[in-house]
């Protein structure tokens, strides 16, 4: 006999730009269940505000909520702020470097709670193949403040294809390394 499965997902992003101000919201939720077994239950919401001071410097502030049952993360909430520098901005290439101080409250599925400060530094590069397609890669490094041995490294890469002026298709690859994951997570 067959098994019943339930799969739900919602992801996307919105961006609002008004002069020097930019608001950006990303949402990515997924839930999958086969019979009584949850095997995937993840979510991520990210809100970011940018204020472009000039052509090189931008101030950023963000808030984020994330959960990931396979990684035994019930909830991680973060807020942070810092500067971003535009290192290269040409017709084919864009490169940005940023850093932020971030506060993080984390609840693991085993009941462990953490409240800590982290640095969140990143380098983002975009290569524009044509007016229709581009490749973006962002590398994040997030060490705990005063303990760099406790860190996370994340690589996000995406191929974007502009379908219309207001719609983009994207294929994405995410890699994550956590030096101090929740107990029992490889």
């Amino acid at each position: 006999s067959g098994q019943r499965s339930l799969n739900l997902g919602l992801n996307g992003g919105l961006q609002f730009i008004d002069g020097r101000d930019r608001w950006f919201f990303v949402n990515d939720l997924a839930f999958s269940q086969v019979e009584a077994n949850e095997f995937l239950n993840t979510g991520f919401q990210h809100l970011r505000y940018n204020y472009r001071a000039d052509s090189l410097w931008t101030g950023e502030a963000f808030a984020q909520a994330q959960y990931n049952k396979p990684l035994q993360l019930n909830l991680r909430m973060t807020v942070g702020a810092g500067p971003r520098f535009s290192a290269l901005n040409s017709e084919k290439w864009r490169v940005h470097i940023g850093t932020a101080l971030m506060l993080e409250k984390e609840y693991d599925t085993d009941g462990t709670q953490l409240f800590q400060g982290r640095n969140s530094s990143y380098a983002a590069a975009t290569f524009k193949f044509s007016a229709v397609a581009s490749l973006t890669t962002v590398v994040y490094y997030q060490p705990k403040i005063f303990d760099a041995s406790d860190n996370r490294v994340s690589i996000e890469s995406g191929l974007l294809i502009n379908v219309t002026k207001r719609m983009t298709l994207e294929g994405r690859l995410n890699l994550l390394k956590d030096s101090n994951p929740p107990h029992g997570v490889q």
Side-chain angles (χ1 to χ4, degrees):
S1 78
Q3 292 184 332
R4 256 195 193 151
S5 68
L6 173 65
N7 298 295
L8 302 170
L10 175 65
N11 63 30
L14 294 172
Q15 179 174 243
F16 176 74
I17 300 172
D18 183 23
R20 294 175 180 246
D21 299 300
R22 176 179 167 220
W23 292 90
F24 184 67
F25 175 74
V26 177
N27 182 74
D28 190 359
L29 304 172
F31 174 80
S32 297
Q33 181 177 13
V34 175
E35 293 296 335
N37 300 313
E38 288 183 18
F39 63 90
L40 177 67
N41 192 354
T42 63
F44 175 87
Q45 294 83 36
H46 182 89
L47 177 65
R48 180 172 296 261
Y49 169 74
N50 289 354
Y51 178 78
R52 187 174 42 90
D54 57 34
S55 64
L56 296 177
W57 292 99
T58 300
E60 298 185 306
F62 61 88
Q64 178 175 302
Q66 175 184 13
Y67 63 92
N68 189 315
K69 300 300 179 174
L71 297 180
Q72 297 185 21
L73 179 62
N74 257 355
L75 180 64
R76 177 185 294 143
M77 297 177 294
T78 61
V79 294
R84 180 178 78 180
F85 176 70
S86 181
L88 179 62
N89 194 358
S90 71
E91 190 174 316
K92 291 268 186 199
W93 284 96
R94 281 191 335 232
V95 177
H96 300 284
I97 300 166
T99 190
L101 289 177
M102 176 172 80
L103 293 176
E104 176 176 89
K105 179 78 175 190
E106 184 174 298
Y107 303 88
D108 294 343
T109 56
D110 67 1
T112 303
Q113 294 184 28
L114 297 172
F115 181 73
Q116 57 198 2
R118 286 190 181 271
N119 170 264
S120 181
S121 295
Y122 68 89
T126 299
F127 177 69
K128 191 173 184 180
F129 296 105
S130 67
V132 176
S134 61
L135 177 68
T136 298
T137 299
V138 184
V139 178
Y140 292 92
Y141 174 61
Q142 297 179 328
K144 184 176 176 182
I145 294 180
F146 306 119
D147 183 7
S149 68
D150 182 346
N151 63 73
R152 291 191 296 262
V153 177
S154 171
I155 301 171
E156 299 177 4
S157 192
L159 177 63
L160 285 76
I161 299 172
N162 297 325
V163 178
T164 69
K165 283 184 177 182
R166 297 187 182 268
M167 187 169 82
T168 303
L169 292 178
E170 180 177 15
R172 183 164 286 285
L173 172 68
N174 294 321
L175 301 171
L176 173 66
K177 181 191 180 298
D178 190 337
S179 70
N180 191 22
H183 182 69
V185 175
Q186 295 290 322

